Amino acid sequence: MSDNSCKYTSVLLIDDDIDDRMIFGEVLRELAPDIHYHEAINGEDALIKLSQDLLPDLIFVDLNMPRVDGKQFLAEIQQLDHLKDIPVIIYTTSSHEVDKKETRELGASYFLTKPNSLHELTNILTDILQQKLF
């Protein structure tokens, strides 16, 4: 992916699954080597990092996590002026319509069910980084 096709300079993934974070990070760095990639292990960890100096251009968040889950995280950042306009993509194993509806109502920009292959993840992240999906 050429640098001018991606307007994002910083991405945050919030996911309690270490394997999912590792795979996502590897694919993202392969697609956009200059992007700053950050991770948080749950919504609480992310809110702490976001209250310090982290201000990503794009946030991916899993729904099912301990402490502060994805829906709670969405609700929290909608209350914070400096964060509420950052696009948030739900990145979860769920494909339930109720989760899609609830997260959209909470301000999510896009709902992405975790893909089953690296190839599919690569294609989806390419489209997201090139702003073709939302």
Side-chain angles (χ1 to χ4, degrees), residues 80-133:
L80 303 169
D81 286 337
H82 71 292
L83 300 176
K84 69 181 180 182
D85 294 327
I86 297 173
V88 177
I89 296 173
I90 303 304
Y91 184 66
T92 182
T93 55
S94 172
S95 59
H96 300 295
E97 286 302 318
V98 68
D99 286 333
K100 292 177 183 181
K101 182 179 184 290
E102 287 177 7
T103 56
R104 191 170 39 253
E105 290 171 355
L106 287 168
S109 300
Y110 190 75
F111 192 98
L112 172 60
T113 300
K114 290 180 180 179
N116 294 321
S117 72
L118 281 176
H119 178 72
E120 191 179 351
L121 177 60
T122 300
N123 290 340
I124 290 169
L125 283 181
T126 298
D127 286 347
I128 288 171
L129 294 175
Q130 293 176 350
Q131 295 185 306
K132 293 179 182 175
L133 291 183

Side-chain angles (χ1 to χ4, degrees), residues 7-46:
K7 81 165 201 171
Y8 303 111
T9 60
S10 178
V11 170
L12 170 63
L13 172 65
I14 308 165
D15 197 320
D16 61 323
D17 187 297
I18 189 168
D19 293 330
D20 285 349
R21 290 194 314 267
M22 182 187 71
I23 291 166
F24 185 96
E26 287 176 10
V27 171
L28 183 66
R29 282 188 287 270
E30 185 176 306
L31 291 173
D34 294 335
I35 210 161
H36 297 282
Y37 173 61
H38 306 274
E39 297 178 343
I41 59 172
N42 57 48
E44 180 182 65
D45 182 35

